[in-house]
Amino acid sequence: DMKVTQMPRYLIKRMGENVLLECGQDMSHETMYWYRQDPGLGLQLIYISYDVDSNSEGDIPKGYRVSRKKREHFSLILDSAKTNQTSVYFCASSLDWGAYEQYFGPGTRLTVL
Amino acid sequence: GEKVEQHESTLSVREGDSAVINCTYTDTASSYFPWYKQEAGKSLHFVIDIRSNVDRKQSQRLIVLLDKKAKRFSLHITATQPEDSAIYFCAASRSNNRIFFGDGTQLVVKP
């Protein structure tokens, strides 16, 4: 079953706390992505991972870092979260980068107080 | 880099009518144009795509048209149903580059 999972689905943190968002996929896809979605702003790409330990900044990487130690798992880390990082975060995966369908996870709604 | 614009931020149609969502792009080298649907409170999922070697593609009630000269593509939904109500995102990419998304069009199908 082709699936992208995200944990947790909902998270409330205080400003300055560290945040770990986790994403998994069972399709052996090489490429994985982290996006954030804010009302009226569509999807903003935070990071792309082309494979294990091969990550690249997207459009809004500041304040975020990522880790990919296994092909099926991609983490987004917020060190010292800020209130403007309150958003819905989506993970996605695709067979390869570029012209391939992306499969999206269910999203994580993060609130930073 | 590529910039994808969706011209309608919201679109309202009557059930049974057709809906058309228009997008433009800037990179003449873009060759892949997917569309994604996001229902209220849910994630995105792929609905249809078109590649630059064709100018029309149909999948059931969905038709995608591509005008490479004008750098414009569109999603046509025929015989709309309430379950078509959602945000639709267009996107574009080169064959060897990341995908760039538009900001989304909220489609409302009224009974």
Side-chain angles (χ1 to χ4, degrees), chain A residues 6 9 33 35 37 40-43 45 48 50 58-59 90 97-107, chain B residues 31-32 36 38 41-46 49 51 87 89 93-104:
Chain A
Q6 289 185 239
R9 295 291 316 280
Y33 312 80
Y35 295 93
Q37 185 179 35
L41 289 179
L43 286 173
L45 179 66
I48 301 176
Y50 300 107
D59 299 323
F90 288 103
W97 68 306
Y100 291 90
E101 176 183 347
Q102 291 189 21
Y103 294 79
F104 283 82
Chain B
S31 60
Y32 175 64
Y36 288 82
Q38 184 179 32
K42 295 191 177 179
S43 186
L44 288 80
H45 68 268
F46 170 88
D49 62 11
R51 295 181 189 265
I87 300 174
F89 292 92
S93 79
R94 297 184 178 194
S95 61
N96 60 348
N97 201 357
R98 53 163 285 196
I99 282 177
F100 292 83
F101 285 89
D103 289 338

Side-chain angles (χ1 to χ4, degrees), chain B residues 15-103:
Chain B
E15 183 178 353
D17 289 348
S18 292
V20 182
I21 302 171
N22 296 290
C23 290
T24 54
Y25 61 99
T26 58
D27 185 355
T28 53
S30 285
S31 60
Y32 175 64
F33 306 91
W35 289 85
Y36 288 82
K37 177 181 181 182
Q38 184 179 32
E39 294 167 55
K42 295 191 177 179
S43 186
L44 288 80
H45 68 268
F46 170 88
V47 290
I48 192 169
D49 62 11
I50 190 167
R51 295 181 189 265
S52 58
N53 57 339
V54 296
D55 54 19
R56 185 184 191 277
K57 183 174 180 179
Q58 181 165 1
S59 174
Q60 298 181 317
R61 296 186 297 107
L62 302 179
I63 302 168
V64 181
L65 302 178
L66 174 63
D67 181 346
K68 293 187 289 290
K69 207 170 182 179
K71 288 187 281 188
R72 183 171 57 213
F73 58 113
S74 56
L75 175 67
H76 299 243
I77 306 173
T78 62
T80 52
Q81 301 168 1
E83 54 264 37
D84 295 328
S85 293
I87 300 174
Y88 290 83
F89 292 92
C90 62
S93 79
R94 297 184 178 194
S95 61
N96 60 348
N97 201 357
R98 53 163 285 196
I99 282 177
F100 292 83
F101 285 89
D103 289 338

Side-chain angles (χ1 to χ4, degrees), chain A residues 4-109:
Chain A
V4 178
T5 58
Q6 289 185 239
M7 291 292 286
R9 295 291 316 280
Y10 302 90
L11 187 60
I12 300 175
K13 287 285 193 178
R14 296 200 177 278
M15 192 169 59
E17 292 184 329
N18 297 333
V19 176
L20 173 64
L21 305 185
E22 307 210 66
C23 175
Q25 50 100 357
D26 62 2
M27 298 167 277
S28 297
H29 283 171
E30 286 190 358
T31 308
M32 296 186 75
Y33 312 80
W34 276 107
Y35 295 93
R36 65 178 279 179
Q37 185 179 35
D38 301 295
L41 289 179
L43 286 173
Q44 296 177 276
L45 179 66
I46 306 172
Y47 268 94
I48 301 176
S49 174
Y50 300 107
D51 210 330
V52 171
D53 285 329
S54 179
N55 307 316
S56 182
E57 293 180 346
D59 299 323
I60 53 161
K62 190 176 178 183
Y64 303 95
R65 61 184 174 93
V66 292
S67 175
R68 191 162 179 208
K69 298 300 182 185
K70 293 183 179 179
R71 178 171 280 190
E72 62 270 18
H73 192 249
F74 190 34
S75 301
L76 180 69
I77 301 122
L78 289 67
D79 294 314
S80 188
K82 300 172 182 52
T83 55
N84 63 6
Q85 292 178 308
T86 292
S87 188
V88 179
Y89 290 86
F90 288 103
C91 174
S93 73
S94 62
L95 185 65
D96 200 343
W97 68 306
Y100 291 90
E101 176 183 347
Q102 291 189 21
Y103 294 79
F104 283 82
T108 295
R109 185 173 293 276

